[in-house]
Amino acid sequence: MKIAIPKEIREGETRVAASPDTVKKFVALGAEVVIEAGAGIKAAITDAAYEGAGATIAADAASALSGAEIVLKVQRPMLAAEGTDELGMIDRGALLVANLAPYDTPDALQAYADAGITACAMELMPRITRAQSMDVLSSQSNLAGYKAVLDACAVYGKAMPMMMTAAGTVPPAKCFIMGAGVAGLQAIATARRLGGVVSATDVRPAVKEQVESLGASFVAVEDDEFREAETAGGYAKEMSEAYRKKQAELVADHIAKQDIVICTALIPGRPAPTLITQEMVESMKPGSVIVDLAVERGGNCALSKPGEIVDHNGVLIVGHLNVPGRLPADASALYARNLLNFLTPLIDKETGALAIDWDDEIVKGVVLTRDGAIVHPAFAPKSAEPQPEAEPEAEQAEPAAEGDADEQAKS
């Protein structure tokens, strides 16, 4: 069985879908692993490192993908209309495993079906205990939360921790984290380690204890609606207009006193909710910093711009794209491990061939297309089945992952 890993060619993508460690394990399972030359360079992985792990290096994407039964990618394959027909290089019947952004690119789903491939969207991984090690949202969001704090510190013109010197005392920075899912909890932990005074908000009451266990204070309107604001699966419910107004007033007052604000609210299939208005930005002190992790989907801050650092009356609004990809070595290693953990149960250990249980809860949760049709109930045309609750991306209003705050704030 041939597993192919082509080079990522979408603009700004620095990650790769395999590490030398996962290559070794795939080879041990009996697979032939073929990697396009230079695929890991941006993640500090050389072709020689892959070869040392047992992979074969292909000169180009077409050579890597030809005859592959499994194709591993970070981003969805490009279509002919986008300039390079990556999808056309993948053999019919192949299993494609990647972040496929199905909510954002519904037309691509039909293209996968027409191409006759089995497309698996890793961001749809069910949030169950058995799938925790396969959860790309958690692994990448963890790094995004960490990097968001570092990005804030990089442009913040003051020190983060309190410093008592002979020349005077430097006060600690006040940091406010909006959204306490995986990225938010990691941001809390990182800001605390750097010496900031940290507070956080989230509409889910269950995360209050996790926030406080990391040493941050919790900011929320804790009324009856708040206490019922979480689904059975651990996701945030959409709040009423009345609650949102009360929460916005509380947050507006709190934001005005903060030095650093990090926004993490994002739900697939919908524009990012606006959490910080222009008026709120203008209430902040010059020199304050906002980091918007949802900028690629419209942003949680009304003034953020994708790929830019906006200066509004002295308040810097950071809108870096692909934040996990700003830590490409670690992001690639964790993502590659997620893919390995997903694929290992699908490979027969005796024959080395794919042996997929199509009724498995995990498989049903991620498979978009199969046998020339869109099969996922949330995307299949004219489906009478109700759509499952949207699962957040890259943190980004993510649910608290199963496990305690320490597990979510690792890395």
Side-chain angles (χ1 to χ4, degrees), residues 151-168:
D151 286 339
C153 291
V155 296
Y156 182 55
K158 301 179 183 179
M160 179 74 86
M162 174 184 286
M163 296 183 182
M164 301 182 70
T165 76

Side-chain angles (χ1 to χ4, degrees), residues 249-261:
E249 291 172 354
L250 175 64
V251 167
D253 180 66
H254 190 68
I255 281 178
K257 306 168 188 174
Q258 302 305 302
D259 299 303
I260 294 173
V261 179

